[in-house]
């Protein structure tokens, strides 16, 4: 059984869905999932489709070429076709361990459809965690003086392992434009949702002093504009005057774990489409 996932967007026009479904039928495929959305303001059509092929001689590359010739060119589509192969994810971490533990636990239990060839960190603190999950750990220190050299080492590892996307699991370094250009909409970050109101090293302390009633977490793709990339997932929880700063931090970290895991699942399951710095998230 061969399974593919198709993501497309193009100018909205007549006969798109019928053309695609008929094309798959002609290729002896069976559609097992289909969803579409039209952005009326931009007049853009979005679609996600999953199809299975039982023919022994099915070729994903041949299907792509035929799709490009007969459909993509006709409707002027932006499109991606993915085969049912686990993507490779690189984890970048610093000293906070909550997101790392959570992702590795889900990975170890088979909950995440991906592979983790290695973990990169600018500190040695979390090496023991990587070792306990039998995942290679690379310590690449980052300073103002060696930032370019460190990033080149990171890129070499990423390329040598054919990494498909990167997750910044509380990696406390700003990613440069060189890495972002290499992995556009393929670097996922997680942070609290107090921005831009409470910036700095201790946002929960600032929020506590203001008596906030809601705290949250946001996961997004990384762009050169800091913390302003397309949002993949968000979560919130209510707090009150009875909660201490430690309570806020604990609740925030719980949210960060859940929201980041959700974002990783959506990305690896090919359910996210980016358009004009926004995302379309399919169910």
């Amino acid at each position: 059984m061969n399974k593919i996932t198709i993501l497309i967007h193009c100018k909205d026009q007549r006969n798109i869905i019928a053309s695609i479904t008929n094309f798959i039928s002609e290729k002896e495929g069976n559609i097992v999932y289909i969803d579409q959305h039209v952005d009326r303001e931009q007049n853009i059509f979005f679609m996600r489709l999953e199809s299975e092929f039982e023919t022994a001689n099915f070729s994903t590359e041949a299907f792509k070429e035929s799709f490009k010739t007969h459909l993509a060119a006709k409707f002027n589509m932006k499109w991606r076709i993915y085969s049912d192969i686990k993507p490779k994810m690189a984890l970048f971490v610093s000293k906070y361990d909550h997101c790392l533990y959570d992702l590795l636990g889900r990975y170890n239990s088979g909950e995440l459809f991906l592979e983790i060839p290695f973990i990169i960190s600018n500190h040695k603190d979390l090496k023991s965690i990587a070792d306990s999950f039998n995942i290679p750990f690379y310590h690449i220190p980052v300073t103002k003086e060696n930032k370019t050299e460190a990033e080149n080492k990171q890129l070499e590892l990423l390329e040598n392992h054919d990494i498909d996307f990167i997750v910044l699991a509380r990696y406390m370094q700003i990613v440069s434009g060189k890495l972002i250009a290499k992995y556009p909409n393929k670097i996922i970050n997680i942070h609290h949702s107090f921005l831009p109101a409470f910036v700095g090293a201790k946002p929960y302390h600032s929020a506590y002093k203001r008596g906030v009633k809601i705290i949250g977490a946001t996961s997004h793709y990384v762009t050169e504009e800091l913390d302003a990339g397309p949002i993949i997932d968000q979560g919130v929880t209510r707090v009150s005057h009875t909660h201490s700063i430690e309570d806020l931090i604990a609740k925030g970290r719980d949210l960060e774990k859940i929201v980041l895991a959700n974002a990783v699942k959506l990305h690896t399951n090919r359910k996210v489409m980016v358009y004009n710095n926004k995302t379309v998230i399919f169910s």
Side-chain angles (χ1 to χ4, degrees), residues 1-6 23-31 49-56 58-60 63:
M1 178 73 71
N2 296 280
K3 182 178 179 180
I4 63 169
T5 300
I6 305 173
F23 175 81
I24 291 174
S25 177
E26 291 170 0
K27 298 293 183 181
E28 299 183 56
N30 179 41
I31 296 172
L49 183 148
E50 295 178 10
S51 186
E52 295 175 343
F53 299 83
E54 295 185 3
T55 53
F58 177 82
S59 165
T60 301
F63 183 91

Side-chain angles (χ1 to χ4, degrees), residues 76-101:
N76 194 24
M77 295 175 177
K78 301 293 184 182
W79 57 283
R80 289 281 189 276
I81 294 178
Y82 300 96
S83 58
D84 195 25
I85 298 174
K86 290 182 178 181
K88 295 180 180 180
M89 175 183 79
L91 278 169
F92 282 39
V93 298
S94 289
K95 292 185 177 182
Y96 292 111
D97 62 6
H98 55 290
C99 287
L100 178 63
Y101 263 124

Side-chain angles (χ1 to χ4, degrees), residues 148-160:
T148 299
E149 179 186 354
E151 189 170 71
N152 288 336
K153 290 181 180 178
Q154 293 171 352
L155 282 167
E156 183 179 358
L157 279 170
L158 295 167
E159 292 171 0
N160 288 344

Side-chain angles (χ1 to χ4, degrees), residues 6 68 79 109 116 147 161 201 222 251 255 263 274 277 282:
I6 305 173
K68 177 181 178 180
W79 57 283
S109 68
I116 305 178
K147 191 171 180 65
H161 288 83
V222 175
K251 284 179 174 289
L255 280 175
V274 177
N277 209 47
F282 290 100

